[in-house]
Each structure stands twice: as C-alpha cells, then as structure tokens.
Amino acid sequence: MIRTVRSRQVYRNPWMTVREDTVERADGSTGLYGVVDKPDYALVIPRQDDRVHLVEQYRYPVAGRYWEFPQGSWPQGHHGTDPLDLARAELREETGLRADRMTYLGRLHVAYGYSSQGCHVFLAEQLTAGRPEREASEADMVQRWADPREWRELVRSGRITDTATLAAHALLTLHTPGAA
C-alpha cells in the first residue's frame, strides 16, 4: 500500500488543480506523484437503431479535430452532482437531442496514472431532435450519425482517438452485443 506523507498544491485554475504528493511505499521507499485533480464528467452514447451519434470539434491540446461521443462536465460555479442530470444536459447542449431513456453503463477512469478524473457513461435512446445549445467553446462543433461500418472506419482512420469514447463503445458492446 502507498501512504501519502505530504501533499501540496502546485497549480490551480477554474478547471483543475495539480498537486505534488510525497509518498511512502510498503517497502519503506519514498517517491513523488504529480496528480491532476479534475471533476468527473459524463459521456453520452446517443443510439438510434444501429447508429450512434458523434460530435466533432477542435481539441486544442492535440491541435486537431476528432470525432467523439458528446461529453462534458458542469461549468464552473454549477453545483450539480447527479451524473444523469449532467449527461442529459451535455446531450442537449452538444447535439440538441433529448432522450426518453437513459441507461447507466458504468464509470471509467480517464487517465489514472496521473489524474483522479472519472467518466460516467450513459446510453441515450428513444431520441427526439432539437436545437443544440452549445457553449462558446463548442461553436465549431459538427455532428453526424455513424452506422457500424462507418464507426469502424472512423476508428481505423484515426478520426476517433478519444480513449473515453473508445472505452465507452466497449461498454456499449458489453451491454448490447453487436452494437454499432
């Protein structure tokens, strides 16, 4: 077991904190961990028939546009805690879709080698279309439906590289074998 000896915050902004922890391992040796603390977020897999709904946007840290499932966390200052409420809000904001049925598929760790952040995954079905309510940072977002063949091609071609999207799709296939 690893025990935290000392912890100090080394960076903070409205979306995350970075801390540096001095730890002691079971054998008595010491080490250092840098940990990024971010709030959990929700990811939604909108599904209709055998198709899934994706969004594409520019992701600044990797300087590129990629397809992914709708996802996000509460904005700064919001005090919501229910992942289902967050999932419904993200679905509506990014796609305009509303779901009559939401099924919880599980929680993923995003990058547990250096971050505490988790991702709650939901399947959205029985969908009704509406207008997206995107935030300013999502103004360039586009969306599309993908059938199983198109999904595989987007993954193979490197157009879907988001690990949470890929892991969420794996949860979908466990929930519904043969799913898109």
Side-chain angles (χ1 to χ4, degrees), residues 50-140:
D50 69 339
R51 300 177 309 152
V52 293
H53 197 86
L54 301 166
V55 295
E56 182 198 52
Q57 64 182 315
Y58 182 79
R59 291 299 193 170
Y60 178 81
V62 293
R65 295 186 65 84
Y66 296 93
W67 291 98
E68 61 194 39
F69 288 126
Q71 57 191 278
S73 57
W74 289 117
Q76 182 185 5
H78 191 281
H79 300 291
T81 57
D82 185 356
L84 177 59
D85 290 343
L86 176 57
R88 286 188 183 283
E90 287 299 321
L91 179 65
R92 183 184 66 253
E93 289 171 11
E94 293 188 5
T95 69
L97 296 170
R98 275 79 170 163
D100 286 343
R101 184 170 68 203
M102 297 283 281
T103 305
Y104 187 71
L105 299 182
R107 182 175 184 272
L108 305 168
H109 288 105
V110 177
Y112 60 32
Y114 66 86
S115 178
S116 63
Q117 187 176 43
C119 172
H120 298 275
V121 179
F122 291 87
L123 171 62
E125 297 176 294
Q126 299 173 357
L127 303 168
T128 304
R131 293 183 57 86
E133 302 169 12
R134 296 185 180 126
E135 300 170 2
S137 64
E138 300 167 333
D140 70 334

Side-chain angles (χ1 to χ4, degrees), residues 18 54 97 141 169:
V18 178
L54 301 166
L97 296 170
M141 188 176 279
H169 191 270

Side-chain angles (χ1 to χ4, degrees), residues 80 106 139 142 157 171:
V142 295
S157 67
L171 288 176

Side-chain angles (χ1 to χ4, degrees), residues 22-36:
T22 302
V23 299
E24 182 179 308
R25 298 180 192 92
D27 67 359
S29 65
T30 60
L32 190 65
Y33 271 96
V35 179
V36 176

